[in-house]
Amino acid sequence: MSSARMLVLWDIDHTLVSIDGVGKDIYAEAFRVVTGRSMRRVAAMAGRTDWAITVETLRMHDVEVSEELLESFGAALAEAFVVYEATILERGRVLAGAREVLGVLAGRADVIQSVLTGNMEPLAIGKLTAFELEHLVDFEVGAYGMDHEDRAMLVGLAQERAARKYGESFARHNTVLVGDTPNDVLAGHLGGARVVAVATGSSDVQTLQAAGADLVLEDLTDTAAVVRAVLAAADR
Protein backbone atom coordinates (compact mmCIF):
# COMPACT_ATOMS: atom_id res chain seq x y z
CA MET A 1 0.00 0.00 0.00
CA SER A 2 1.40 3.45 -0.77
CA SER A 3 0.85 6.99 0.37
CA ALA A 4 2.75 10.18 -0.28
CA ARG A 5 3.48 10.77 3.38
CA MET A 6 3.31 9.13 6.77
CA LEU A 7 2.00 10.60 10.01
CA VAL A 8 4.29 10.23 13.03
CA LEU A 9 2.64 10.95 16.38
CA TRP A 10 4.82 11.37 19.46
CA ASP A 11 3.90 10.91 23.08
CA ILE A 12 5.59 13.63 25.16
CA ASP A 13 6.20 12.66 28.79
CA HIS A 14 8.97 10.07 29.24
CA THR A 15 9.19 9.66 25.47
CA LEU A 16 10.56 13.07 24.45
CA VAL A 17 10.98 14.89 27.77
CA SER A 18 10.91 14.33 31.51
CA ILE A 19 9.72 16.98 33.95
CA ASP A 20 10.76 15.00 37.02
CA GLY A 21 7.42 14.74 38.82
CA VAL A 22 6.40 18.37 38.39
CA GLY A 23 3.17 17.14 36.75
CA LYS A 24 1.82 16.14 40.17
CA ASP A 25 2.61 19.61 41.51
CA ILE A 26 0.70 21.16 38.61
CA TYR A 27 -2.31 18.97 39.39
CA ALA A 28 -2.13 19.87 43.08
CA GLU A 29 -2.15 23.58 42.26
CA ALA A 30 -5.07 23.22 39.83
CA PHE A 31 -7.00 21.15 42.37
CA ARG A 32 -6.48 23.81 45.05
CA VAL A 33 -7.63 26.59 42.74
CA VAL A 34 -10.76 24.77 41.56
CA THR A 35 -11.90 23.12 44.80
CA GLY A 36 -10.34 25.27 47.51
CA ARG A 37 -8.97 22.09 49.07
CA SER A 38 -5.62 20.32 49.20
CA MET A 39 -5.15 17.35 46.90
CA ARG A 40 -4.37 14.24 48.93
CA ARG A 41 -3.35 12.14 45.94
CA VAL A 42 -3.52 12.15 42.17
CA ALA A 43 -4.78 9.38 39.88
CA ALA A 44 -2.32 7.23 37.96
CA MET A 45 -0.88 9.38 35.18
CA ALA A 46 1.26 7.17 32.92
CA GLY A 47 -0.17 6.84 29.43
CA ARG A 48 -3.49 8.47 30.37
CA THR A 49 -5.26 11.63 29.25
CA ASP A 50 -5.58 14.76 31.37
CA TRP A 51 -9.35 14.27 31.03
CA ALA A 52 -9.21 10.80 32.59
CA ILE A 53 -6.69 11.84 35.27
CA THR A 54 -8.77 14.87 36.22
CA VAL A 55 -12.04 12.96 36.47
CA GLU A 56 -10.55 10.17 38.57
CA THR A 57 -8.64 12.56 40.84
CA LEU A 58 -11.77 14.60 41.54
CA ARG A 59 -13.82 11.47 42.25
CA MET A 60 -11.10 10.16 44.58
CA HIS A 61 -11.76 13.29 46.64
CA ASP A 62 -15.56 12.85 46.46
CA VAL A 63 -15.98 15.80 44.12
CA GLU A 64 -18.88 15.51 41.68
CA VAL A 65 -17.62 15.99 38.13
CA SER A 66 -19.55 18.13 35.66
CA GLU A 67 -18.65 19.42 32.20
CA GLU A 68 -18.28 22.91 33.67
CA LEU A 69 -15.97 21.68 36.42
CA LEU A 70 -13.87 19.76 33.88
CA GLU A 71 -13.47 22.93 31.82
CA SER A 72 -12.53 24.91 34.91
CA PHE A 73 -9.96 22.31 35.92
CA GLY A 74 -8.44 22.38 32.42
CA ALA A 75 -8.09 26.16 32.60
CA ALA A 76 -6.52 25.83 36.06
CA LEU A 77 -4.04 23.25 34.77
CA ALA A 78 -2.94 25.64 32.03
CA GLU A 79 -2.46 28.43 34.57
CA ALA A 80 -0.61 26.13 36.96
CA PHE A 81 1.76 25.11 34.18
CA VAL A 82 2.81 28.75 33.82
CA VAL A 83 3.39 28.94 37.59
CA TYR A 84 5.69 25.90 37.43
CA GLU A 85 7.39 26.65 34.11
CA ALA A 86 10.65 27.77 35.74
CA THR A 87 10.66 24.61 37.87
CA ILE A 88 10.15 22.48 34.77
CA LEU A 89 13.18 24.10 33.13
CA GLU A 90 15.21 23.59 36.31
CA ARG A 91 14.27 19.98 36.96
CA GLY A 92 13.24 18.74 33.53
CA ARG A 93 15.21 17.61 30.50
CA VAL A 94 14.94 16.46 26.93
CA LEU A 95 15.52 12.72 26.81
CA ALA A 96 18.71 11.56 25.13
CA GLY A 97 18.39 11.46 21.36
CA ALA A 98 14.92 12.98 21.19
CA ARG A 99 15.98 16.32 19.72
CA GLU A 100 18.10 14.64 17.06
CA VAL A 101 15.40 12.18 15.96
CA LEU A 102 12.75 14.91 15.81
CA GLY A 103 15.11 17.02 13.74
CA VAL A 104 15.79 14.31 11.19
CA LEU A 105 12.12 13.38 10.78
CA ALA A 106 11.07 17.04 10.59
CA GLY A 107 13.43 17.44 7.65
CA ARG A 108 11.89 14.60 5.63
CA ALA A 109 9.41 15.47 2.91
CA ASP A 110 7.64 12.12 3.37
CA VAL A 111 6.88 12.65 7.08
CA ILE A 112 4.29 14.78 8.88
CA GLN A 113 5.26 14.92 12.54
CA SER A 114 3.01 15.82 15.45
CA VAL A 115 2.04 14.72 18.95
CA LEU A 116 -0.48 12.35 20.45
CA THR A 117 -0.37 13.01 24.14
CA GLY A 118 -2.32 12.78 27.35
CA ASN A 119 -1.39 16.42 27.95
CA MET A 120 -4.04 19.01 27.19
CA GLU A 121 -2.97 21.22 24.29
CA PRO A 122 -1.55 24.21 26.25
CA LEU A 123 0.58 21.88 28.38
CA ALA A 124 1.81 19.93 25.36
CA ILE A 125 2.83 23.10 23.56
CA GLY A 126 4.29 24.54 26.77
CA LYS A 127 6.47 21.52 27.49
CA LEU A 128 7.95 21.30 24.00
CA THR A 129 8.39 25.08 23.82
CA ALA A 130 10.17 25.11 27.18
CA PHE A 131 12.80 22.78 25.73
CA GLU A 132 12.86 24.43 22.28
CA LEU A 133 11.34 21.47 20.43
CA GLU A 134 8.13 23.19 19.30
CA HIS A 135 9.35 24.03 15.78
CA LEU A 136 9.88 20.35 15.00
CA VAL A 137 6.22 19.28 15.18
CA ASP A 138 2.93 20.43 13.66
CA PHE A 139 0.70 21.05 16.69
CA GLU A 140 -2.33 21.76 14.46
CA VAL A 141 -2.71 18.08 13.55
CA GLY A 142 -1.95 16.67 17.00
CA ALA A 143 -4.42 15.21 19.49
CA TYR A 144 -4.52 16.13 23.15
CA GLY A 145 -5.59 15.04 26.59
CA MET A 146 -8.75 17.14 26.80
CA ASP A 147 -9.94 16.16 23.32
CA HIS A 148 -11.30 12.86 24.63
CA GLU A 149 -11.10 10.80 27.80
CA ASP A 150 -10.08 7.66 25.85
CA ARG A 151 -6.53 7.90 24.49
CA ALA A 152 -7.32 5.51 21.63
CA MET A 153 -9.84 8.01 20.25
CA LEU A 154 -7.06 10.55 19.86
CA VAL A 155 -5.49 8.59 17.00
CA GLY A 156 -8.48 9.09 14.73
CA LEU A 157 -8.69 12.76 15.68
CA ALA A 158 -5.07 13.32 14.66
CA GLN A 159 -5.59 11.44 11.41
CA GLU A 160 -8.66 13.54 10.61
CA ARG A 161 -6.84 16.79 11.39
CA ALA A 162 -3.87 15.80 9.24
CA ALA A 163 -6.18 14.77 6.41
CA ARG A 164 -7.99 18.11 6.49
CA LYS A 165 -4.78 20.13 6.55
CA TYR A 166 -2.73 18.15 4.05
CA GLY A 167 -5.40 16.69 1.79
CA GLU A 168 -4.13 13.13 2.21
CA SER A 169 -5.56 10.04 3.84
CA PHE A 170 -4.04 8.62 7.03
CA ALA A 171 -4.86 5.20 8.42
CA ARG A 172 -3.09 2.30 10.16
CA HIS A 173 -0.70 1.61 7.30
CA ASN A 174 0.80 5.10 7.28
CA THR A 175 0.37 6.28 10.88
CA VAL A 176 3.01 5.54 13.53
CA LEU A 177 2.63 6.33 17.22
CA VAL A 178 5.77 6.51 19.37
CA GLY A 179 5.29 6.11 23.13
CA ASP A 180 6.68 4.59 26.29
CA THR A 181 3.79 2.80 28.04
CA PRO A 182 1.51 -0.18 27.43
CA ASN A 183 -1.34 2.37 27.31
CA ASP A 184 0.36 4.01 24.34
CA VAL A 185 0.60 0.64 22.61
CA LEU A 186 -3.04 -0.17 23.30
CA ALA A 187 -4.21 3.27 22.18
CA GLY A 188 -2.26 3.02 18.96
CA HIS A 189 -3.58 -0.40 18.05
CA LEU A 190 -7.18 0.30 19.03
CA GLY A 191 -7.08 3.71 17.38
CA GLY A 192 -5.58 2.64 14.08
CA ALA A 193 -1.80 3.11 14.12
CA ARG A 194 1.39 1.12 14.16
CA VAL A 195 3.36 1.53 17.39
CA VAL A 196 7.05 2.00 18.09
CA ALA A 197 7.58 1.76 21.84
CA VAL A 198 10.61 3.08 23.69
CA ALA A 199 11.69 1.88 27.13
CA THR A 200 12.47 5.39 28.37
CA GLY A 201 9.74 5.51 31.01
CA SER A 202 8.71 3.07 33.72
CA SER A 203 8.07 0.14 31.33
CA ASP A 204 10.95 -2.07 30.22
CA VAL A 205 11.46 -3.64 26.80
CA GLN A 206 9.86 -6.95 27.78
CA THR A 207 6.73 -5.22 29.11
CA LEU A 208 6.33 -3.20 25.92
CA GLN A 209 6.88 -6.28 23.75
CA ALA A 210 4.27 -8.16 25.78
CA ALA A 211 1.86 -5.25 25.24
CA GLY A 212 2.14 -5.89 21.51
CA ALA A 213 4.22 -2.98 20.19
CA ASP A 214 5.20 -3.43 16.55
CA LEU A 215 8.78 -2.44 17.38
CA VAL A 216 10.48 -1.78 20.73
CA LEU A 217 13.63 0.27 21.31
CA GLU A 218 15.69 0.76 24.45
CA ASP A 219 15.83 4.54 23.90
CA LEU A 220 16.26 7.21 21.21
CA THR A 221 20.03 7.59 21.37
CA ASP A 222 20.86 5.89 18.04
CA THR A 223 19.30 8.44 15.70
CA ALA A 224 19.68 6.41 12.51
CA ALA A 225 18.26 3.26 14.12
CA VAL A 226 15.26 5.12 15.55
CA VAL A 227 14.50 6.79 12.23
CA ARG A 228 14.72 3.43 10.47
CA ALA A 229 12.40 1.87 13.05
CA VAL A 230 9.80 4.62 12.69
CA LEU A 231 9.88 4.47 8.90
CA ALA A 232 9.79 0.66 8.90
CA ALA A 233 6.76 0.59 11.16
CA ALA A 234 4.63 2.07 8.40
CA ASP A 235 3.61 -0.08 5.45
CA ARG A 236 3.40 2.51 2.73
Side-chain angles (χ1 to χ4, degrees), residues 4-8 105-106 108-113 231 236:
R5 286 184 279 192
M6 65 182 292
L7 179 62
V8 179
L105 290 174
R108 292 185 62 101
D110 60 344
V111 170
I112 295 165
Q113 185 166 241
L231 297 176
R236 297 179 292 158

Side-chain angles (χ1 to χ4, degrees), residues 1 5-8 10 101 104-105 108 110-111 171-178 189 193-197 213-217 223-236:
M1 211 165 182
R5 286 184 279 192
M6 65 182 292
L7 179 62
V8 179
W10 288 88
V101 173
V104 171
L105 290 174
R108 292 185 62 101
D110 60 344
V111 170
R172 186 181 303 274
H173 69 277
N174 63 348
T175 304
V176 178
L177 187 156
V178 187
H189 287 163
R194 305 289 174 84
V195 181
V196 174
D214 296 283
L215 292 166
V216 181
L217 304 171
T223 303
V226 178
V227 170
R228 283 196 302 270
V230 171
L231 297 176
D235 177 18
R236 297 179 292 158

Side-chain angles (χ1 to χ4, degrees), residues 57-81:
T57 298
L58 289 168
R59 287 176 176 163
M60 286 162 56
H61 293 77
D62 299 318
V63 177
E64 186 175 344
V65 182
S66 65
E67 185 175 334
E68 182 180 0
L69 183 62
L70 194 59
E71 288 179 4
S72 296
F73 203 99
L77 280 174
E79 292 172 3
F81 179 87

Side-chain angles (χ1 to χ4, degrees), residues 53-229:
I53 297 164
T54 296
V55 169
E56 185 176 342
T57 298
L58 289 168
R59 287 176 176 163
M60 286 162 56
H61 293 77
D62 299 318
V63 177
E64 186 175 344
V65 182
S66 65
E67 185 175 334
E68 182 180 0
L69 183 62
L70 194 59
E71 288 179 4
S72 296
F73 203 99
L77 280 174
E79 292 172 3
F81 179 87
V82 175
V83 171
Y84 279 95
E85 193 164 6
T87 306
I88 288 169
L89 282 170
E90 180 185 328
R91 289 167 50 182
R93 61 191 172 91
V94 180
L95 296 187
R99 190 182 305 277
E100 293 76 10
V101 173
L102 287 174
V104 171
L105 290 174
R108 292 185 62 101
D110 60 344
V111 170
I112 295 165
Q113 185 166 241
S114 190
V115 295
L116 189 144
T117 172
N119 289 280
M120 59 183 294
E121 186 172 0
L123 270 63
I125 294 173
K127 287 179 183 179
L128 295 194
T129 300
F131 297 108
E132 300 181 343
L133 300 173
E134 77 286 353
H135 62 290
L136 300 173
V137 300
D138 183 350
F139 288 115
E140 288 185 2
V141 302
Y144 304 94
M146 285 297 190
D147 287 340
H148 201 284
E149 184 174 11
D150 183 352
R151 196 180 184 103
M153 298 299 293
L154 301 184
V155 178
L157 287 174
Q159 290 169 331
E160 290 168 11
R161 288 166 181 169
R164 282 198 303 269
K165 180 169 182 176
Y166 293 99
E168 300 175 25
S169 177
F170 299 97
R172 186 181 303 274
H173 69 277
N174 63 348
T175 304
V176 178
L177 187 156
V178 187
D180 68 287
T181 72
N183 281 343
D184 293 315
V185 178
L186 181 63
H189 287 163
L190 291 178
R194 305 289 174 84
V195 181
V196 174
V198 289
T200 46
S202 59
S203 299
D204 60 19
V205 168
Q206 292 73 25
T207 299
L208 295 169
Q209 288 172 335
D214 296 283
L215 292 166
V216 181
L217 304 171
E218 286 275 2
D219 53 38
L220 302 175
T221 55
D222 187 336
T223 303
V226 178
V227 170
R228 283 196 302 270

